[in-house]
């Protein structure tokens, strides 16, 4: 896939992919600031934020300036986009880790991601990236947010606060079909409330995974 490079009105380089701009043609840094403001909770309440889509890199650049202590992991399916950002885009902080991840299996196989999935984390979308890589990024989002029974069970087993109870919930979770909602999970948790320890803590974690 050839990316078409152009300059924004402010002189900052951006690119088009499939005819779609991956950052503002007027002011990509102002757009990045607005993106961070819209997703402020994802950065304020969590030390780890997983960003779906690298785009031109301005949004992750700005997020790392605003939250220099946060670990920001960017999942980007297109290696050409990663190469472009490294060559033409804003210089990313050392706290920003960019991974070329195309599938749910690649998430499971990534040691970097597995270690982070053991922690509490937030997941945020880069809207322009979703326009050009919707299927790939939506599949990654489904796993990361525990929106299916299999992905939720996987995340529970990875998370030390929930792993001890994952087997107890497996039968109940297995009875659920289709994309999970927080109501589905809350019902399962309520059934098992008397059997499980740390119920409030587990519910809090699950509410973040299943939205």
């Amino acid at each position: 896939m050839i990316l078409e490079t152009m300059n924004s009105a402010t002189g900052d380089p951006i690119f088009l992919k499939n005819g779609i701009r991956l950052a503002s043609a007027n002011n990509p840094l102002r757009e990045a600031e607005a993106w961070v403001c819209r997703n402020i909770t994802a950065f304020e309440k969590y030390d780890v934020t997983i960003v779906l889509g690298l785009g031109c890199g301005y949004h992750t650049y700005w997020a790392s300036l605003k939250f220099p202590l946060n670990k920001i992991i960017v999942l980007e399916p297109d290696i050409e986009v990663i190469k472009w950002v490294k060559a033409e885009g804003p210089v990313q902080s050392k706290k920003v880790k960019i991974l070329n991840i195309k599938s749910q299996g690649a998430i499971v196989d990534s040691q970097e991601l597995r270690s982070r999935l053991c922690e509490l984390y937030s997941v945020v979308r880069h809207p322009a990236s979703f326009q050009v890589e919707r299927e790939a990024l939506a599949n990654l989002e489904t796993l990361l947010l525990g929106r299916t029974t299999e992905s939720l069970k996987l995340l529970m087993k990875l998370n030390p606060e929930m792993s001890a109870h994952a087997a107890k919930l497996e039968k109940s979770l297995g009875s659920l079909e289709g994309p999970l909602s927080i109501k589905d999970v809350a019902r399962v948790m309520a059934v098992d409330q008397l059997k499980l320890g740390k119920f409030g803590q587990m519910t809090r974690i699950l509410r973040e995974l299943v939205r």
Side-chain angles (χ1 to χ4, degrees):
M1 175 69 66
I2 297 176
L3 307 180
E4 181 184 347
T5 301
M6 61 180 287
N7 284 332
S8 65
T10 55
D12 298 303
I14 64 173
F15 68 83
L16 284 77
K17 179 177 177 180
N18 296 341
I20 297 175
R21 289 192 302 270
L22 271 290
S24 169
N26 296 317
N27 192 328
L29 285 173
R30 183 178 296 171
E31 178 188 55
E33 181 180 12
W35 178 86
V36 172
C37 289
R38 288 195 303 272
N39 295 286
I40 197 76
T41 301
F43 296 98
E44 285 185 337
K45 292 190 175 182
Y46 300 86
D47 295 330
V48 178
T49 299
I50 300 175
V51 179
L52 298 172
L54 177 59
C56 297
Y58 293 100
H59 59 304
T60 53
Y61 166 78
W62 193 268
S64 66
L65 288 181
K66 182 73 174 177
F67 299 95
L69 299 180
N70 286 42
K71 179 73 173 180
I72 300 172
I73 301 176
V74 189
L75 306 188
E76 172 55 51
D78 190 342
I79 189 63
E80 296 303 320
V81 169
I82 296 175
K83 291 178 180 178
W84 187 96
V85 170
K86 289 183 176 180
E88 306 284 348
V91 177
Q92 303 290 320
S93 160
K94 292 182 179 179
K95 289 286 188 176
V96 177
K97 180 72 173 180
I98 301 171
L99 301 176
N100 181 214
I101 299 291
K102 301 179 182 180
S103 66
Q104 292 184 356
I107 289 179
V108 176
D109 293 339
S110 169
Q111 186 57 47
E112 173 80 19
L113 272 175
R114 286 179 69 89
S115 64
R116 294 302 172 183
L117 294 181
C118 293
E119 308 172 43
L120 286 177
Y121 58 86
S122 60
V123 180
V124 292
R125 292 181 175 190
H126 178 236
S129 294
F130 256 77
Q131 283 187 273
V132 295
E133 293 285 357
R134 176 169 297 277
E135 183 177 356
L137 292 175
N139 284 337
L140 301 182
E141 183 181 55
T142 294
L143 189 150
L144 293 168
L145 293 179
R147 292 304 303 275
T148 65
T149 55
E150 290 305 314
S151 62
L152 182 56
K153 285 186 282 187
L154 170 65
L155 294 173
M156 287 176 66
K157 289 175 181 177
L158 288 175
N159 192 302
E161 295 183 71
M162 298 189 289
S163 60
H165 304 293
K168 296 180 181 179
L169 286 176
E170 190 158 341
K171 183 176 180 180
S172 298
L173 288 171
S175 66
L176 302 177
E177 297 181 358
L180 299 179
S181 69
I182 188 58
K183 290 182 180 179
D184 294 325
V185 176
R187 185 167 61 250
V188 170
M189 296 299 291
V191 169
D192 292 321
Q193 181 174 5
L194 298 178
K195 304 182 214 174
L196 301 177
K198 301 183 179 180
F199 173 72
Q201 189 174 42
M202 290 177 65
T203 302
R204 171 178 56 79
I205 295 170
L206 289 168
R207 283 185 180 276
E208 294 303 328
L209 292 175
V210 182
R211 300 177 182 178

